[in-house]
Every structure is written in structure tokens, then in C-alpha cells.
């Protein structure tokens, strides 16, 4: 598969995962930017670890909270997107990095919600 075709496939798959998160995951709706960033990092990192068969840190209550959401999301991704089974660990890691960047943009840096940065909120 050529690089341009691979990029198109990866972009399409990323958008499929974004669509799932935007429609099914309530954790994306924290009211502060720093909360959203921390939540995105915590859940999406653990989801990547689960999908890649890597160890997952569950040593703190916060880590376990993110882990629970990550387990649900990894299970849903596997059930809905059969193409994940055909991807290597490196490809899944690349996909999840792209997903993380896209979700961070949509929910934090590119969001027009002014409450996210209101110091009094």
C-alpha cells in the first residue's frame, strides 16, 4: 500500500473512532480545558495500551477510573471495527496517537466553548 493510500486509510479509521467517541462517550464533556486534556490523556493512553497488549497502570484511583473507560472503549472498538485485528501494534499506536491529537483538537484547542478557559468557572 502506498504512503498516500495508507494515510487516507489511517485518516478514515481515525475519523471512525472520533465518530464513536463523539456519539457514545460522555467523558469528553468536562467543563474545563485542563480536565478535558487530562481525561483525554488518561483514557486514550490506556485504550492504546489495551489495544496494543501493553501493561496498564492502575495504581491510583484516578488511573483505575481512566482504565475502566479505556476497557469499555477498547472492547467497543474491537467489536465495531474488525480492521483493528489486522493492524500491527505499531499501526494501532499510530492510529491512537492520531485519535488523541484529533480529540484534543475537537474538545480543547479547537473548541469554541468559552467556558473551557473562563478563570471564574
Amino acid at each position: 500500500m502506498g504512503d498516500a493510500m495508507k494515510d487516507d486509510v489511517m485518516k478514515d479509521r481515525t475519523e471512525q473512532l472520533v465518530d464513536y467517541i463523539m456519539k457514545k462517550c460522555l467523558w469528553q464533556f468536562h467543563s474545563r480545558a485542563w480536565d478535558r486534556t487530562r481525561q483525554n490523556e488518561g483514557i486514550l493512553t490506556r485504550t492504546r495500551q489495551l489495544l496494543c497488549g501493553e501493561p496498564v497502570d492502575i495504581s491510583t484511583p484516578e488511573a483505575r477510573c481512566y482504565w475502566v473507560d479505556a476497557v469499555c472503549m477498547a472492547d467497543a472498538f474491537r467489536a465495531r471495527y474488525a480492521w483493528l485485528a489486522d493492524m500491527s501494534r505499531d499501526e494501532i499506536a499510530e492510529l491512537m496517537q492520531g485519535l488523541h491529537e484529533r480529540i484534543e483538537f475537537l474538545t480543547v484547542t479547537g473548541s469554541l466553548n468559552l467556558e473551557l478557559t473562563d478563570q471564574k468557572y
Side-chain angles (χ1 to χ4, degrees):
M1 182 182 315
D3 287 343
M5 187 173 183
K6 181 182 175 196
D7 290 345
D8 288 346
V9 168
M10 200 62 93
K11 183 176 179 183
D12 177 64
R13 289 176 177 179
T14 299
E15 289 307 315
Q16 289 179 51
L17 301 182
V18 166
D19 187 62
Y20 175 86
I21 290 171
M22 291 298 186
K23 290 179 179 174
K24 305 284 187 184
C25 299
L26 294 176
W27 53 260
Q28 64 171 304
F29 294 112
H30 274 292
S31 59
R32 297 168 297 220
W34 65 267
D35 259 343
R36 288 185 182 192
T37 295
R38 188 175 68 184
Q39 189 99 352
N40 291 345
E41 175 68 27
I43 294 170
L44 294 172
T45 296
R46 284 167 181 79
T47 303
R48 177 191 50 77
Q49 291 168 332
L50 290 166
L51 291 173
C52 291
E54 298 171 359
V56 180
D57 174 25
I58 55 171
S59 62
T60 66
E62 181 181 42
R64 285 190 295 278
C65 181
Y66 294 147
W67 172 75
V68 168
D69 282 323
V71 167
C72 293
M73 194 159 49
D75 288 348
F77 284 177
R78 285 185 190 113
R80 285 173 173 75
Y81 308 110
W83 41 258
L84 269 172
D86 296 328
M87 295 178 75
S88 70
R89 286 183 180 182
D90 288 344
E91 290 170 328
I92 291 171
E94 179 184 345
L95 174 70
M96 292 303 297
Q97 179 61 40
L99 175 63
H100 189 159
E101 290 168 7
R102 185 78 176 125
I103 290 294
E104 189 70 13
F105 173 76
L106 292 171
T107 63
V108 181
T109 59
S111 177
L112 300 178
N113 181 349
L114 296 178
E115 290 179 355
L116 291 176
T117 54
D118 186 337
Q119 298 301 314
K120 296 179 183 178
Y121 189 65

